[in-house]
Amino acid sequence: METLRKAQFEADRAKLAQVTSDQVSYGHSDGRAETKEQFINGVMTRKQVVNSLTFPNLKRSVVGNAAIVRHIYLAESELDGKATTTRIGALQVWQKQDGTWKLLARQGFRLPA
């Protein structure tokens, strides 16, 4: 989780590729679903400057070679000089592949106000 968070924050293509499964389905809170290539390209070409990214309320449950993770995705960013806060929920499914944990699925969702 920390490697993914840091890779997203730093826009580190190699680390993003390392922690995501080739079959990843990366779902956003607006309903879009992306492949691994689309997800990584989205991080690499984002227009906003991300000033902070945290995953509070992290809860994990490991079941065999799978893990279910829930957390809040909390980001402070700027676009064209305008500050923005993103606060959404996230559900992730991780799978142990060749001895390492890989993100297999992620779905972001809007939180109640």
Side-chain angles (χ1 to χ4, degrees):
M1 283 298 304
E2 180 58 17
T3 302
L4 175 65
R5 186 202 64 78
K6 198 171 180 183
Q8 285 181 289
F9 178 68
E10 296 173 353
D12 185 327
R13 179 182 295 276
K15 290 227 172 154
L16 288 169
Q18 175 188 347
V19 298
T20 53
S21 169
D22 290 342
Q23 299 81 19
V24 72
S25 175
Y26 192 93
H28 293 271
S29 62
D30 64 4
R32 289 178 297 126
E34 295 177 326
T35 64
K36 181 175 184 169
E37 181 180 336
Q38 291 168 326
F39 161 62
I40 293 172
N41 285 338
V43 172
M44 300 309 299
T45 61
R46 67 183 173 215
K47 294 177 183 159
Q48 73 269 30
V49 174
V50 179
N51 297 317
S52 69
L53 175 61
T54 59
F55 292 168
N57 299 345
L58 185 66
K59 295 177 179 91
R60 295 178 273 241
S61 177
V62 177
V63 182
N65 71 339
I68 300 164
V69 179
R70 289 183 173 273
H71 63 86
I72 304 296
Y73 178 102
L74 183 60
E76 301 290 335
S77 59
E78 271 181 55
L79 180 60
D80 298 328
K82 185 177 179 182
T84 304
T85 299
T86 302
R87 184 178 180 276
I88 60 170
L91 168 65
Q92 298 179 352
V93 177
W94 291 74
Q95 183 181 52
K96 203 157 221 182
Q97 296 178 358
D98 300 321
T100 60
W101 288 102
K102 303 276 186 170
L103 179 64
L104 184 62
R106 185 260 197 193
Q107 184 59 58
F109 54 91
R110 292 191 174 105
L111 296 169

